[in-house]
């Protein structure tokens, strides 16, 4: 039974008992009986008024409790006029004001952190208490090449080698990991306390662009110094050689003189080749910013195939073009990408030697162009070395072609990847972001 009904039952029974007792004692004293009955009636009225005064503040507190249960912290209680109760109302209102302010600050901080995570230049992967992915920011999706967040999956179950490796790291561990291509990532595993429990999150920052830019500045400076010194010397030496060849007397039957002139001509020719060698290196350094436009990539691939087909036929290599049914358009510098494709096909031809197959391909998801060959593939240990400037697997190779490909990809905001797949095919890819 509710408390208010207990109160009414008690007051009612008490007054009924007093009324019956007064009637039994004062049955003949009618005046006194009426006076006592009137007093009992007034007592009932006073009991009801007191009940209202006691229960009104309690109803207010009950409404406040319901508001707290509903997490409605905007409700405030009005003073009741009772000194004791108003002190309780004042404490209640102060408590709700404090809770409301704390809640507002928490919501603002949560919104700020959420916006900060979304706009962060570093990839951030949040995990729950059991190691399942709960959130990944846009930069994280871009860095990892994922189309949609792997929410709900355990970290080691996500089909990405970087996340699978990070799943084995301990809290507080940091370091630099390598991707498939030129990518370098600074990674760190951190934890925070949420609702009294520890949760982990991953921070992934791409270092490739900074490292490549530093790398380029270093070798560009060396190349400029080499070109300056070599060109200055070659110009003067060629002038002396040419003057000597022209001024050397021709004596019929003098074999020694003929040998001297032939040797001078060979030295002059070699100097010319050395000059061309330095110009090739300088082209990588002086590569202009791309002049981009939307281009149907199938047309570029078709032109490269027609250009390189005679060389492929000379070494009995099959050069194929795989174009998707839906046309693909990339915003690129057409001339630079065509030059990169020519170098990619040339490298594939040199890798094959004779025979074999080469495929020219492009895909929209991911946005990339690919030159694949079924040659011997990358030699052991070259999976990471090929990212170094001017890397080449040929004994007399200069590595200029591959370096030019990587630089063109970088200036287009993408990356170059070179990988020998389990099926034996080696792919050279330019991926666009």
């Amino acid at each position: 039974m509710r408390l208010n009904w207990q109160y009414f039952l008690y007051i009612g029974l008490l007054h009924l008992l007093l009324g019956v007792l007064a009637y039994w004692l004062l049955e003949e004293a009618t005046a006194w009986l009426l006076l006592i009955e009137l007093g009992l009636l007034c007592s009932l009225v006073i009991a009801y008024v007191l009940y209202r005064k006691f229960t009104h503040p309690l109803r207010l507190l009950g409404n406040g409790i319901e508001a707290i249960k509903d997490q409605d912290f905007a409700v405030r209680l009005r003073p009741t006029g009772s000194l004791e109760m108003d002190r309780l109302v004042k404490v209640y209102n102060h408590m709700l004001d404090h809770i409301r302010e704390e809640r507002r600050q928490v919501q603002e901080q949560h919104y700020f952190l959420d916006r900060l995570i979304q706009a962060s230049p570093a990839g951030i992967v949040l995990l729950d208490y059991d190691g399942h992915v709960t959130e990944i920011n846009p930069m994280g999706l871009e860095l990892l090449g994922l189309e949609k967040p792997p929410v709900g999956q355990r970290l080691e179950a996500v089909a990405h080698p970087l996340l699978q490796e990070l799943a084995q790291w301990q809290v507080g561990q940091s370091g630099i990991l390598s991707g498939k291509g030129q990518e370098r990532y600074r990674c760190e595993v951190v934890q925070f306390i949420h609702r009294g429990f520890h949760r982990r999150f991953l921070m992934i920052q791409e270092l490739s662009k900074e490292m490549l830019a530093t790398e380029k500045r270093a070798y560009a400076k060396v190349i400029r110094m080499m070109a300056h010194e070599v060109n200055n010397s070659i110009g003067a030496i060629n002038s002396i050689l040419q003057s000597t060849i022209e001024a050397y007397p021709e004596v019929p039957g003098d074999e020694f003189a003929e040998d001297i002139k032939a040797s001078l001509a060979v030295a002059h020719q070699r100097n010319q080749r050395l000059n061309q060698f330095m110009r090739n290196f300088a082209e990588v350094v002086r590569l202009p910013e791309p002049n981009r436009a939307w281009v149907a990539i199938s047309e570029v691939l078709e032109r490269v195939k027609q250009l390189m087909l005679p060389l492929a036929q000379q070494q009995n290599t099959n050069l194929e073009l795989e174009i998707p049914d839906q046309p693909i358009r990339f915003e690129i510098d057409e001339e630079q990408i065509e030059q990169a494709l020519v170098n990619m096909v040339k490298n594939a031809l040199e890798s094959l030697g004779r025979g074999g197959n080469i495929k020219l391909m492009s895909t929209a998801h991911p946005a990339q162009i690919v030159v694949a060959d079924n040659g011997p593939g990358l030699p052991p240990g070259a999976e990471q070395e090929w990212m170094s400037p001017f890397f080449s697997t040929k004994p007399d190779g200069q590595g200029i072609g591959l370096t030019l490909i990587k630089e063109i990809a970088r200036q287009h905001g993408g990356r170059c990847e070179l990988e020998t797949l389990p099926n034996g095919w080696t792919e050279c890819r330019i991926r666009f972001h």
Side-chain angles (χ1 to χ4, degrees):
M1 184 182 294
R2 296 179 61 179
L3 184 61
N4 57 343
W5 288 109
Q6 293 179 20
Y7 175 80
F8 285 137
L9 182 61
Y10 171 75
I11 294 298
L13 290 175
L14 179 63
H15 283 73
L16 179 62
L17 179 62
L18 291 175
V20 171
L21 183 61
Y23 179 79
W24 181 65
L25 293 175
L26 302 171
E27 181 179 1
E28 296 180 357
T30 308
W32 284 102
L33 178 62
L34 292 176
L35 184 61
I36 290 175
E37 295 295 337
L38 182 61
L40 290 175
L41 181 61
C42 291
S43 176
L44 284 173
V45 173
I46 293 172
Y48 178 74
V49 171
L50 290 176
Y51 168 79
R52 291 292 302 271
K53 286 187 176 182
F54 281 119
T55 58
H56 178 65
L58 293 177
R59 283 198 299 271
L60 288 178
L61 289 179
N63 293 335
I65 292 172
E66 292 298 324
I68 292 176
K69 288 173 60 178
D70 295 337
Q71 297 187 357
D72 182 5
F73 303 115
V75 175
R76 291 176 59 87
L77 300 183
R78 294 181 179 180
T80 62
S82 171
L83 180 62
E84 294 78 6
M85 201 64 201
D86 286 350
R87 289 176 59 188
L88 184 59
V89 167
K90 183 177 180 181
V91 172
Y92 175 89
N93 289 339
H94 178 73
M95 179 185 69
L96 255 63
D97 290 342
H98 183 71
I99 293 176
R100 185 168 58 252
E101 180 64 20
E102 290 288 338
R103 189 182 190 189
R104 182 187 63 80
Q105 292 180 4
V106 169
Q107 289 176 339
E108 290 177 351
Q109 290 175 359
H110 177 77
Y111 177 77
F112 171 75
L113 289 175
D114 183 66
R115 297 301 299 171
L116 187 63
I117 290 172
Q118 297 301 316
S120 172
I124 298 177
V125 183
L126 298 178
L127 307 177
D128 64 10
Y129 311 109
D130 298 321
H132 296 85
V133 178
T134 59
E135 187 178 352
I136 178 170
N137 69 341
M139 181 54 69
L141 290 174
E142 181 179 335
L143 291 180
L144 299 173
L146 301 175
E147 295 185 5
K148 60 180 182 179
V151 175
Q153 299 185 38
R154 291 190 63 85
L155 202 59
E156 57 269 21
V158 181
H160 195 284
L162 189 65
L163 293 181
Q164 292 173 356
E165 185 167 354
L166 288 175
Q168 310 303 321
W169 283 25
Q170 301 299 318
V171 174
Q173 187 174 349
S174 63
I176 297 177
L177 298 178
S178 302
K180 288 185 177 180
Q182 298 169 282
E183 305 94 337
R184 292 289 187 275
Y185 303 103
R186 180 184 297 280
C187 304
E188 186 174 4
V189 180
V190 192
Q191 73 175 7
F192 64 100
I193 297 177
H194 181 244
R195 296 183 178 178
F197 295 93
H198 291 286
R199 288 181 59 182
R200 290 185 300 158
F201 70 94
L202 315 178
M203 295 186 65
I204 306 171
Q205 184 179 5
E206 186 181 19
L207 301 178
S208 309
K209 294 180 180 178
E210 297 177 6
M211 294 176 64
L212 290 173
T214 303
E215 194 177 74
K216 182 185 175 183
R217 286 194 296 269
Y219 69 67
K221 184 176 181 180
V222 173
I223 290 174
R224 283 195 295 268
M225 293 171 57
M226 290 172 57
H228 177 73
E229 296 299 327
V230 171
N231 289 335
N232 286 346
S233 299
I234 285 177
I237 293 171
N238 279 347
S239 179
I240 294 172
L241 289 175
Q242 188 64 36
S243 299
T244 303
I245 291 172
E246 293 175 356
Y248 200 87
E250 295 187 8
V251 180
D254 188 348
E255 295 182 1
F256 181 75
E258 292 178 359
D259 290 341
I260 291 294
K261 294 189 70 172
S263 298
L264 291 174
V266 170
H268 184 272
Q269 185 180 25
R270 181 56 190 161
N271 271 353
Q272 291 293 99
R273 290 179 178 176
L274 180 59
N275 191 26
Q276 181 62 42
F277 174 80
M278 290 308 304
R279 281 202 298 269
N280 290 340
F281 272 98
E283 284 181 3
V284 177
V285 182
R286 295 195 299 262
L287 190 67
E289 289 294 322
N291 182 20
R292 300 191 184 194
W294 288 99
V295 177
I297 196 63
S298 59
E299 298 177 2
V300 180
L301 294 174
E302 183 66 41
R303 286 200 303 272
V304 172
K305 177 188 175 182
Q306 294 301 323
L307 178 65
M308 303 302 292
L309 189 59
L311 284 176
Q313 291 174 342
Q314 287 178 12
Q315 65 179 51
N316 197 29
T317 297
N318 183 33
L319 183 59
E320 301 177 6
L321 180 62
E322 292 187 2
I323 300 176
D325 296 333
Q326 297 295 329
I328 301 175
R329 299 176 68 85
F330 293 149
E331 190 178 14
I332 58 174
D333 185 312
E334 190 171 355
E335 294 182 1
Q336 289 188 9
I337 294 299
E338 186 173 323
Q339 182 61 46
L341 281 166
V342 168
N343 281 278
M344 292 160 72
V345 175
K346 183 173 179 293
N347 288 343
L349 288 170
E350 292 175 352
S351 174
L352 287 167
R354 291 194 62 81
N357 298 282
I358 297 176
K359 295 180 181 179
L360 292 172
M361 301 174 288
S362 67
T363 61
H365 303 287
Q368 64 179 1
I369 53 176
V370 183
V371 174
D373 69 82
N374 61 347
L378 289 171
E383 290 82 359
Q384 299 300 328
E385 291 183 10
W386 76 269
M387 293 177 288
S388 303
F390 308 108
F391 167 82
S392 177
T393 58
K394 299 183 288 291
D396 57 345
Q398 302 169 10
I400 296 175
L402 185 56
T403 302
L404 183 63
I405 296 168
K406 291 188 286 187
E407 182 62 19
I408 289 174
R410 187 189 69 82
Q411 294 209 145
H412 278 77
R415 64 180 185 268
C416 176
E417 296 178 357
L418 184 62
E419 180 184 12
T420 298
L421 304 177
N423 61 9
W425 284 77
T426 299
E427 291 187 354
C428 183
R429 301 181 287 262
I430 294 181
R431 285 200 173 189
F432 304 99
H433 292 309

